[in-house]
mmCIF file of all heavy atoms in Angstrom:
data_model
loop_
_atom_site.group_PDB
_atom_site.id
_atom_site.type_symbol
_atom_site.label_atom_id
_atom_site.label_comp_id
_atom_site.label_asym_id
_atom_site.label_seq_id
_atom_site.Cartn_x
_atom_site.Cartn_y
_atom_site.Cartn_z
ATOM 1 N N TYR A 16 31.315 2.792 0.547
ATOM 2 C CA TYR A 16 30.611 3.459 1.610
ATOM 3 C C TYR A 16 29.622 2.488 2.370
ATOM 4 O O TYR A 16 29.043 1.560 1.629
ATOM 5 C CB TYR A 16 29.688 4.590 0.997
ATOM 6 C CG TYR A 16 30.554 5.857 0.587
ATOM 7 C CD1 TYR A 16 31.113 5.875 -0.739
ATOM 8 C CD2 TYR A 16 30.926 6.794 1.477
ATOM 9 C CE1 TYR A 16 31.935 6.868 -1.113
ATOM 10 C CE2 TYR A 16 31.777 7.859 1.148
ATOM 11 C CZ TYR A 16 32.271 7.884 -0.162
ATOM 12 O OH TYR A 16 32.932 8.987 -0.544
ATOM 13 N N GLY A 17 29.419 2.542 3.530
ATOM 14 C CA GLY A 17 28.478 1.751 4.336
ATOM 15 C C GLY A 17 27.296 2.552 4.775
ATOM 16 O O GLY A 17 27.362 3.709 5.229
ATOM 17 N N PHE A 18 26.175 2.033 4.534
ATOM 18 C CA PHE A 18 24.858 2.633 4.978
ATOM 19 C C PHE A 18 24.181 1.637 5.927
ATOM 20 O O PHE A 18 24.536 0.386 6.122
ATOM 21 C CB PHE A 18 23.795 2.731 3.796
ATOM 22 C CG PHE A 18 24.074 3.907 2.795
ATOM 23 C CD1 PHE A 18 25.304 4.563 2.868
ATOM 24 C CD2 PHE A 18 23.226 4.105 1.948
ATOM 25 C CE1 PHE A 18 25.546 5.638 1.878
ATOM 26 C CE2 PHE A 18 23.318 5.163 0.984
ATOM 27 C CZ PHE A 18 24.567 5.937 1.058
ATOM 28 N N ASN A 19 23.136 2.124 6.599
ATOM 29 C CA ASN A 19 22.189 1.264 7.362
ATOM 30 C C ASN A 19 20.872 1.355 6.612
ATOM 31 O O ASN A 19 20.720 2.120 5.662
ATOM 32 C CB ASN A 19 22.100 1.566 8.842
ATOM 33 C CG ASN A 19 21.627 2.980 9.103
ATOM 34 O OD1 ASN A 19 20.803 3.553 8.399
ATOM 35 N ND2 ASN A 19 21.994 3.539 10.266
ATOM 36 N N ARG A 20 19.868 0.634 7.033
ATOM 37 C CA ARG A 20 18.594 0.705 6.508
ATOM 38 C C ARG A 20 17.885 2.009 6.623
ATOM 39 O O ARG A 20 16.766 2.263 5.834
ATOM 40 C CB ARG A 20 17.604 -0.407 7.085
ATOM 41 C CG ARG A 20 17.821 -1.833 6.579
ATOM 42 C CD ARG A 20 17.304 -2.852 7.489
ATOM 43 N NE ARG A 20 18.141 -3.162 8.574
ATOM 44 C CZ ARG A 20 17.842 -3.782 9.744
ATOM 45 N NH1 ARG A 20 16.532 -4.001 9.868
ATOM 46 N NH2 ARG A 20 18.706 -3.974 10.550
ATOM 47 N N LEU A 21 18.408 2.909 7.372
ATOM 48 C CA LEU A 21 17.773 4.256 7.562
ATOM 49 C C LEU A 21 18.714 5.320 7.109
ATOM 50 O O LEU A 21 18.543 6.484 7.601
ATOM 51 C CB LEU A 21 17.349 4.366 9.011
ATOM 52 C CG LEU A 21 16.175 3.461 9.510
ATOM 53 C CD1 LEU A 21 16.029 3.565 11.073
ATOM 54 C CD2 LEU A 21 14.932 3.921 8.819
ATOM 55 N N THR A 22 19.565 5.055 6.328
ATOM 56 C CA THR A 22 20.463 6.166 5.647
ATOM 57 C C THR A 22 19.652 6.968 4.612
ATOM 58 O O THR A 22 19.189 6.308 3.611
ATOM 59 C CB THR A 22 21.727 5.517 5.157
ATOM 60 O OG1 THR A 22 22.515 4.877 6.091
ATOM 61 C CG2 THR A 22 22.585 6.638 4.456
ATOM 62 N N VAL A 23 19.418 8.184 4.926
ATOM 63 C CA VAL A 23 18.660 8.931 3.898
ATOM 64 C C VAL A 23 19.531 9.413 2.834
ATOM 65 O O VAL A 23 20.668 9.908 3.153
ATOM 66 C CB VAL A 23 18.098 10.248 4.641
ATOM 67 C CG1 VAL A 23 17.325 11.146 3.670
ATOM 68 C CG2 VAL A 23 17.033 9.816 5.791
ATOM 69 N N HIS A 24 19.232 9.150 1.661
ATOM 70 C CA HIS A 24 20.044 9.497 0.437
ATOM 71 C C HIS A 24 19.182 9.738 -0.825
ATOM 72 O O HIS A 24 18.079 9.532 -0.793
ATOM 73 C CB HIS A 24 21.068 8.395 0.271
ATOM 74 C CG HIS A 24 20.459 7.011 -0.069
ATOM 75 N ND1 HIS A 24 19.842 6.309 0.885
ATOM 76 C CD2 HIS A 24 20.479 6.323 -1.252
ATOM 77 C CE1 HIS A 24 19.420 5.138 0.253
ATOM 78 N NE2 HIS A 24 19.765 5.150 -0.947
ATOM 79 N N GLU A 25 19.859 10.219 -1.807
ATOM 80 C CA GLU A 25 19.164 10.411 -3.098
ATOM 81 C C GLU A 25 20.169 10.327 -4.214
ATOM 82 O O GLU A 25 21.270 10.709 -4.073
ATOM 83 C CB GLU A 25 18.535 11.822 -3.099
ATOM 84 C CG GLU A 25 19.346 12.944 -3.003
ATOM 85 C CD GLU A 25 18.666 14.258 -3.194
ATOM 86 O OE1 GLU A 25 17.421 14.285 -3.366
ATOM 87 O OE2 GLU A 25 19.246 15.380 -2.989
ATOM 88 N N SER A 26 19.723 9.885 -5.382
ATOM 89 C CA SER A 26 20.499 9.873 -6.545
ATOM 90 C C SER A 26 20.423 11.314 -7.148
ATOM 91 O O SER A 26 19.553 12.027 -7.149
ATOM 92 C CB SER A 26 20.050 8.893 -7.609
ATOM 93 O OG SER A 26 20.113 7.591 -7.238
ATOM 94 N N MET A 27 21.548 11.663 -7.822
ATOM 95 C CA MET A 27 21.773 13.079 -8.278
ATOM 96 C C MET A 27 21.554 13.008 -9.843
ATOM 97 O O MET A 27 21.885 12.140 -10.528
ATOM 98 C CB MET A 27 23.174 13.590 -7.962
ATOM 99 C CG MET A 27 23.427 13.623 -6.503
ATOM 100 S SD MET A 27 25.158 13.732 -6.082
ATOM 101 C CE MET A 27 25.611 15.342 -6.645
ATOM 102 N N THR A 28 20.993 14.028 -10.429
ATOM 103 C CA THR A 28 20.768 14.203 -11.821
ATOM 104 C C THR A 28 22.011 14.496 -12.568
ATOM 105 O O THR A 28 22.881 15.319 -12.130
ATOM 106 C CB THR A 28 19.788 15.377 -12.087
ATOM 107 O OG1 THR A 28 18.516 15.029 -11.382
ATOM 108 C CG2 THR A 28 19.373 15.533 -13.484
ATOM 109 N N PHE A 29 22.274 13.952 -13.762
ATOM 110 C CA PHE A 29 23.536 14.067 -14.576
ATOM 111 C C PHE A 29 23.223 15.233 -15.488
ATOM 112 O O PHE A 29 22.169 15.306 -16.159
ATOM 113 C CB PHE A 29 23.818 12.821 -15.360
ATOM 114 C CG PHE A 29 24.550 11.798 -14.529
ATOM 115 C CD1 PHE A 29 24.031 11.277 -13.302
ATOM 116 C CD2 PHE A 29 25.741 11.332 -14.942
ATOM 117 C CE1 PHE A 29 24.638 10.314 -12.615
ATOM 118 C CE2 PHE A 29 26.467 10.361 -14.245
ATOM 119 C CZ PHE A 29 25.978 9.928 -13.089
ATOM 120 N N ARG A 30 24.139 16.168 -15.570
ATOM 121 C CA ARG A 30 24.005 17.221 -16.572
ATOM 122 C C ARG A 30 24.280 16.838 -17.906
ATOM 123 O O ARG A 30 23.821 17.428 -18.805
ATOM 124 C CB ARG A 30 25.041 18.373 -16.102
ATOM 125 C CG ARG A 30 24.610 19.028 -14.743
ATOM 126 C CD ARG A 30 25.644 20.123 -14.481
ATOM 127 N NE ARG A 30 25.286 20.819 -13.226
ATOM 128 C CZ ARG A 30 26.057 21.827 -12.625
ATOM 129 N NH1 ARG A 30 27.054 22.282 -13.273
ATOM 130 N NH2 ARG A 30 25.690 22.283 -11.504
ATOM 131 N N ARG A 31 25.158 15.868 -18.175
ATOM 132 C CA ARG A 31 25.542 15.348 -19.436
ATOM 133 C C ARG A 31 25.468 13.769 -19.371
ATOM 134 O O ARG A 31 25.600 13.218 -18.303
ATOM 135 C CB ARG A 31 26.922 15.846 -19.780
ATOM 136 C CG ARG A 31 27.106 17.332 -20.038
ATOM 137 C CD ARG A 31 28.408 17.671 -20.436
ATOM 138 N NE ARG A 31 29.485 17.460 -19.281
ATOM 139 C CZ ARG A 31 29.662 18.293 -18.311
ATOM 140 N NH1 ARG A 31 29.086 19.573 -18.297
ATOM 141 N NH2 ARG A 31 30.500 17.935 -17.338
ATOM 142 N N PRO A 32 25.201 13.121 -20.660
ATOM 143 C CA PRO A 32 25.330 11.688 -20.623
ATOM 144 C C PRO A 32 26.531 11.257 -20.088
ATOM 145 O O PRO A 32 27.776 11.689 -20.344
ATOM 146 C CB PRO A 32 25.040 11.378 -22.041
ATOM 147 C CG PRO A 32 24.463 12.699 -22.711
ATOM 148 C CD PRO A 32 25.157 13.861 -21.846
ATOM 149 N N ALA A 33 26.532 10.052 -19.334
ATOM 150 C CA ALA A 33 27.765 9.459 -18.757
ATOM 151 C C ALA A 33 27.436 8.044 -18.505
ATOM 152 O O ALA A 33 26.339 7.636 -18.077
ATOM 153 C CB ALA A 33 28.207 10.297 -17.408
ATOM 154 N N TYR A 34 28.452 7.242 -18.647
ATOM 155 C CA TYR A 34 28.403 5.840 -18.363
ATOM 156 C C TYR A 34 28.856 5.646 -16.807
ATOM 157 O O TYR A 34 29.876 6.138 -16.476
ATOM 158 C CB TYR A 34 29.347 5.072 -19.175
ATOM 159 C CG TYR A 34 29.231 3.513 -19.134
ATOM 160 C CD1 TYR A 34 28.262 2.850 -19.884
ATOM 161 C CD2 TYR A 34 29.962 2.731 -18.257
ATOM 162 C CE1 TYR A 34 28.076 1.566 -19.855
ATOM 163 C CE2 TYR A 34 29.661 1.354 -18.146
ATOM 164 C CZ TYR A 34 28.819 0.780 -18.944
ATOM 165 O OH TYR A 34 28.720 -0.575 -18.894
ATOM 166 N N ARG A 35 27.943 5.034 -16.120
ATOM 167 C CA ARG A 35 28.232 4.913 -14.640
ATOM 168 C C ARG A 35 28.042 3.506 -14.209
ATOM 169 O O ARG A 35 27.161 2.780 -14.666
ATOM 170 C CB ARG A 35 27.276 5.839 -13.773
ATOM 171 C CG ARG A 35 27.520 5.826 -12.327
ATOM 172 C CD ARG A 35 26.686 6.868 -11.627
ATOM 173 N NE ARG A 35 26.944 6.953 -10.240
ATOM 174 C CZ ARG A 35 26.226 6.506 -9.266
ATOM 175 N NH1 ARG A 35 25.153 5.743 -9.525
ATOM 176 N NH2 ARG A 35 26.564 6.651 -8.030
ATOM 177 N N ARG A 36 28.980 3.090 -13.274
ATOM 178 C CA ARG A 36 28.964 1.689 -12.734
ATOM 179 C C ARG A 36 28.582 1.787 -11.254
ATOM 180 O O ARG A 36 29.227 2.679 -10.574
ATOM 181 C CB ARG A 36 30.091 0.939 -12.920
ATOM 182 C CG ARG A 36 30.473 0.592 -14.348
ATOM 183 C CD ARG A 36 31.647 -0.109 -14.645
ATOM 184 N NE ARG A 36 32.969 0.604 -14.313
ATOM 185 C CZ ARG A 36 34.047 0.083 -14.309
ATOM 186 N NH1 ARG A 36 34.211 -1.389 -14.533
ATOM 187 N NH2 ARG A 36 35.186 0.756 -14.130
ATOM 188 N N PHE A 37 27.702 1.026 -10.720
ATOM 189 C CA PHE A 37 27.241 0.950 -9.360
ATOM 190 C C PHE A 37 27.288 -0.427 -8.843
ATOM 191 O O PHE A 37 26.719 -1.348 -9.551
ATOM 192 C CB PHE A 37 25.837 1.619 -9.268
ATOM 193 C CG PHE A 37 25.188 1.410 -7.905
ATOM 194 C CD1 PHE A 37 25.412 2.338 -6.825
ATOM 195 C CD2 PHE A 37 24.302 0.393 -7.835
ATOM 196 C CE1 PHE A 37 24.841 2.117 -5.594
ATOM 197 C CE2 PHE A 37 23.711 0.270 -6.522
ATOM 198 C CZ PHE A 37 23.936 1.140 -5.433
ATOM 199 N N VAL A 38 27.740 -0.671 -7.651
ATOM 200 C CA VAL A 38 27.585 -2.055 -7.113
ATOM 201 C C VAL A 38 27.223 -1.903 -5.703
ATOM 202 O O VAL A 38 27.617 -0.948 -4.959
ATOM 203 C CB VAL A 38 29.010 -2.766 -7.203
ATOM 204 C CG1 VAL A 38 30.139 -2.046 -6.580
ATOM 205 C CG2 VAL A 38 28.912 -4.233 -6.629
ATOM 206 N N ARG A 39 26.417 -2.897 -5.176
ATOM 207 C CA ARG A 39 25.934 -2.837 -3.765
ATOM 208 C C ARG A 39 25.820 -4.243 -3.260
ATOM 209 O O ARG A 39 25.366 -5.094 -3.953
ATOM 210 C CB ARG A 39 24.523 -2.094 -3.720
ATOM 211 C CG ARG A 39 23.999 -2.028 -2.297
ATOM 212 C CD ARG A 39 22.591 -1.463 -2.280
ATOM 213 N NE ARG A 39 21.697 -2.283 -2.991
ATOM 214 C CZ ARG A 39 20.477 -1.844 -3.561
ATOM 215 N NH1 ARG A 39 20.203 -0.620 -3.383
ATOM 216 N NH2 ARG A 39 19.693 -2.698 -4.099
ATOM 217 N N LEU A 40 26.214 -4.502 -2.066
ATOM 218 C CA LEU A 40 26.099 -5.734 -1.343
ATOM 219 C C LEU A 40 25.251 -5.521 -0.072
ATOM 220 O O LEU A 40 25.604 -4.530 0.699
ATOM 221 C CB LEU A 40 27.368 -6.313 -0.972
ATOM 222 C CG LEU A 40 27.365 -7.627 -0.271
ATOM 223 C CD1 LEU A 40 26.742 -8.750 -1.127
ATOM 224 C CD2 LEU A 40 28.781 -8.143 0.092
ATOM 225 N N VAL A 41 24.107 -6.220 0.083
ATOM 226 C CA VAL A 41 23.188 -6.076 1.207
ATOM 227 C C VAL A 41 23.261 -7.309 2.002
ATOM 228 O O VAL A 41 23.276 -8.429 1.519
ATOM 229 C CB VAL A 41 21.755 -5.829 0.766
ATOM 230 C CG1 VAL A 41 20.857 -5.691 1.868
ATOM 231 C CG2 VAL A 41 21.693 -4.569 -0.135
ATOM 232 N N GLY A 42 23.254 -7.147 3.431
ATOM 233 C CA GLY A 42 23.388 -8.288 4.253
ATOM 234 C C GLY A 42 21.967 -8.956 4.331
ATOM 235 O O GLY A 42 21.032 -8.608 3.786
ATOM 236 N N ASP A 43 21.919 -9.984 5.311
ATOM 237 C CA ASP A 43 20.608 -10.710 5.509
ATOM 238 C C ASP A 43 19.727 -9.932 6.285
ATOM 239 O O ASP A 43 19.332 -10.293 7.524
ATOM 240 C CB ASP A 43 21.000 -12.039 6.177
ATOM 241 C CG ASP A 43 19.850 -13.021 6.232
ATOM 242 O OD1 ASP A 43 18.805 -12.722 5.652
ATOM 243 O OD2 ASP A 43 19.997 -14.040 6.959
ATOM 244 N N ILE A 44 19.107 -8.870 5.687
ATOM 245 C CA ILE A 44 18.255 -8.030 6.397
ATOM 246 C C ILE A 44 16.785 -7.930 5.790
ATOM 247 O O ILE A 44 15.988 -7.183 6.269
ATOM 248 C CB ILE A 44 18.849 -6.534 6.535
ATOM 249 C CG1 ILE A 44 18.977 -5.956 5.098
ATOM 250 C CG2 ILE A 44 20.173 -6.534 7.270
ATOM 251 C CD1 ILE A 44 19.369 -4.586 5.144
ATOM 252 N N LEU A 45 16.614 -8.673 4.705
ATOM 253 C CA LEU A 45 15.283 -8.637 4.021
ATOM 254 C C LEU A 45 14.219 -9.350 4.636
ATOM 255 O O LEU A 45 14.452 -10.446 5.066
ATOM 256 C CB LEU A 45 15.458 -9.032 2.599
ATOM 257 C CG LEU A 45 16.550 -8.452 1.638
ATOM 258 C CD1 LEU A 45 16.255 -8.773 0.230
ATOM 259 C CD2 LEU A 45 16.441 -6.854 1.716
ATOM 260 N N ALA A 46 13.011 -8.708 4.828
ATOM 261 C CA ALA A 46 11.829 -9.589 5.274
ATOM 262 C C ALA A 46 11.174 -10.062 3.964
ATOM 263 O O ALA A 46 10.350 -11.020 4.001
ATOM 264 C CB ALA A 46 10.842 -8.654 6.046
ATOM 265 N N GLU A 47 11.286 -9.466 2.826
ATOM 266 C CA GLU A 47 10.607 -9.891 1.632
ATOM 267 C C GLU A 47 11.638 -9.866 0.488
ATOM 268 O O GLU A 47 12.507 -8.950 0.373
ATOM 269 C CB GLU A 47 9.461 -8.832 1.220
ATOM 270 C CG GLU A 47 8.367 -8.901 2.244
ATOM 271 C CD GLU A 47 7.219 -7.932 1.789
ATOM 272 O OE1 GLU A 47 7.539 -6.910 1.260
ATOM 273 O OE2 GLU A 47 6.051 -8.273 2.168
ATOM 274 N N TYR A 48 11.483 -10.838 -0.464
ATOM 275 C CA TYR A 48 12.296 -10.958 -1.635
ATOM 276 C C TYR A 48 11.357 -11.065 -2.795
ATOM 277 O O TYR A 48 10.470 -11.894 -2.801
ATOM 278 C CB TYR A 48 13.229 -12.204 -1.568
ATOM 279 C CG TYR A 48 14.183 -12.283 -2.736
ATOM 280 C CD1 TYR A 48 15.436 -11.631 -2.643
ATOM 281 C CD2 TYR A 48 13.868 -12.965 -3.844
ATOM 282 C CE1 TYR A 48 16.318 -11.614 -3.709
ATOM 283 C CE2 TYR A 48 14.773 -13.041 -4.957
ATOM 284 C CZ TYR A 48 16.079 -12.382 -4.909
ATOM 285 O OH TYR A 48 16.913 -12.376 -5.947
ATOM 286 N N TYR A 49 11.589 -10.153 -3.747
ATOM 287 C CA TYR A 49 10.700 -10.101 -4.876
ATOM 288 C C TYR A 49 11.054 -11.034 -6.053
ATOM 289 O O TYR A 49 12.247 -11.169 -6.366
ATOM 290 C CB TYR A 49 10.606 -8.600 -5.465
ATOM 291 C CG TYR A 49 9.920 -7.850 -4.344
ATOM 292 C CD1 TYR A 49 10.691 -7.039 -3.430
ATOM 293 C CD2 TYR A 49 8.543 -7.648 -4.287
ATOM 294 C CE1 TYR A 49 10.142 -6.241 -2.523
ATOM 295 C CE2 TYR A 49 7.989 -6.797 -3.353
ATOM 296 C CZ TYR A 49 8.797 -6.177 -2.418
ATOM 297 O OH TYR A 49 8.143 -5.450 -1.414
ATOM 298 N N THR A 50 9.997 -11.483 -6.790
ATOM 299 C CA THR A 50 10.311 -12.517 -7.759
ATOM 300 C C THR A 50 10.958 -11.915 -9.041
ATOM 301 O O THR A 50 11.554 -12.750 -9.793
ATOM 302 C CB THR A 50 8.910 -13.242 -8.105
ATOM 303 O OG1 THR A 50 8.026 -12.230 -8.448
ATOM 304 C CG2 THR A 50 8.504 -14.079 -7.011
ATOM 305 N N ASN A 51 10.932 -10.712 -9.225
ATOM 306 C CA ASN A 51 11.618 -10.056 -10.337
ATOM 307 C C ASN A 51 13.064 -9.612 -10.037
ATOM 308 O O ASN A 51 13.669 -8.899 -10.802
ATOM 309 C CB ASN A 51 10.746 -9.015 -11.035
ATOM 310 C CG ASN A 51 10.170 -7.884 -10.089
ATOM 311 O OD1 ASN A 51 10.310 -8.104 -8.850
ATOM 312 N ND2 ASN A 51 9.813 -6.848 -10.602
ATOM 313 N N TYR A 52 13.478 -9.876 -8.834
ATOM 314 C CA TYR A 52 15.032 -9.758 -8.653
ATOM 315 C C TYR A 52 15.733 -10.832 -9.440
ATOM 316 O O TYR A 52 15.070 -11.796 -9.930
ATOM 317 C CB TYR A 52 15.275 -10.001 -7.242
ATOM 318 C CG TYR A 52 14.882 -8.706 -6.295
ATOM 319 C CD1 TYR A 52 14.644 -8.877 -4.936
ATOM 320 C CD2 TYR A 52 14.682 -7.453 -6.845
ATOM 321 C CE1 TYR A 52 14.326 -7.792 -4.097
ATOM 322 C CE2 TYR A 52 14.319 -6.390 -6.019
ATOM 323 C CZ TYR A 52 14.251 -6.566 -4.674
ATOM 324 O OH TYR A 52 13.850 -5.453 -3.841
ATOM 325 N N THR A 53 17.008 -10.696 -9.577
ATOM 326 C CA THR A 53 17.879 -11.623 -10.313
ATOM 327 C C THR A 53 18.034 -12.933 -9.602
ATOM 328 O O THR A 53 18.672 -12.954 -8.510
ATOM 329 C CB THR A 53 19.252 -10.939 -10.687
ATOM 330 O OG1 THR A 53 18.877 -9.726 -11.328
ATOM 331 C CG2 THR A 53 20.029 -11.805 -11.641
ATOM 332 N N ALA A 54 17.677 -14.063 -10.260
ATOM 333 C CA ALA A 54 17.970 -15.353 -9.559
ATOM 334 C C ALA A 54 19.448 -15.753 -9.848
ATOM 335 O O ALA A 54 20.090 -15.258 -10.752
ATOM 336 C CB ALA A 54 17.119 -16.463 -10.259
ATOM 337 N N ASN A 55 20.005 -16.439 -8.837
ATOM 338 C CA ASN A 55 21.362 -16.866 -8.982
ATOM 339 C C ASN A 55 21.379 -18.255 -9.685
ATOM 340 O O ASN A 55 20.823 -19.205 -9.252
ATOM 341 C CB ASN A 55 22.061 -17.059 -7.609
ATOM 342 C CG ASN A 55 23.533 -17.351 -7.645
ATOM 343 O OD1 ASN A 55 23.920 -18.101 -8.512
ATOM 344 N ND2 ASN A 55 24.262 -16.783 -6.692
ATOM 345 N N PRO A 56 21.936 -18.327 -10.834
ATOM 346 C CA PRO A 56 21.885 -19.637 -11.648
ATOM 347 C C PRO A 56 22.648 -20.745 -10.968
ATOM 348 O O PRO A 56 22.423 -21.900 -11.358
ATOM 349 C CB PRO A 56 22.659 -19.200 -12.995
ATOM 350 C CG PRO A 56 23.408 -18.080 -12.583
ATOM 351 C CD PRO A 56 22.701 -17.248 -11.637
ATOM 352 N N LEU A 57 23.445 -20.515 -9.888
ATOM 353 C CA LEU A 57 24.110 -21.567 -9.235
ATOM 354 C C LEU A 57 23.136 -22.160 -8.106
ATOM 355 O O LEU A 57 23.566 -23.036 -7.387
ATOM 356 C CB LEU A 57 25.426 -20.942 -8.559
ATOM 357 C CG LEU A 57 26.461 -20.570 -9.430
ATOM 358 C CD1 LEU A 57 27.635 -20.109 -8.766
ATOM 359 C CD2 LEU A 57 26.849 -21.647 -10.436
ATOM 360 N N GLY A 58 22.021 -21.689 -7.989
ATOM 361 C CA GLY A 58 21.031 -22.142 -6.984
ATOM 362 C C GLY A 58 21.014 -21.511 -5.604
ATOM 363 O O GLY A 58 20.340 -22.020 -4.788
ATOM 364 N N VAL A 59 21.789 -20.490 -5.382
ATOM 365 C CA VAL A 59 21.851 -19.834 -4.084
ATOM 366 C C VAL A 59 20.473 -19.087 -3.931
ATOM 367 O O VAL A 59 20.102 -18.344 -4.762
ATOM 368 C CB VAL A 59 22.951 -18.776 -3.978
ATOM 369 C CG1 VAL A 59 22.850 -18.149 -2.640
ATOM 370 C CG2 VAL A 59 24.335 -19.416 -4.245
#
């Protein structure tokens, strides 16, 4: 699915325990990058 920065959305509550996988790729749209995000060990 494709979103923009203004796509209104919400995560849904699980009724039962479940293993879930989520992946997201964001383009070059950030004005701020936080130091507790994951560093790329290849130096990117």
Side-chain angles (χ1 to χ4, degrees):
Y16 289 89
F18 283 14
N19 63 33
R20 281 163 273 159
L21 290 172
T22 299
V23 177
H24 60 289
E25 65 178 354
S26 292
M27 300 163 67
T28 301
F29 280 55
R30 295 181 179 179
R31 293 180 292 276
Y34 191 87
R35 184 172 185 260
R36 294 185 289 171
F37 168 85
V38 59
R39 180 183 66 200
L40 182 61
V41 179
D43 185 10
I44 62 173
L45 302 190
E47 295 179 330
Y48 186 85
Y49 293 95
T50 54
N51 50 346
Y52 285 157
T53 305
N55 189 323
L57 297 181
V59 181

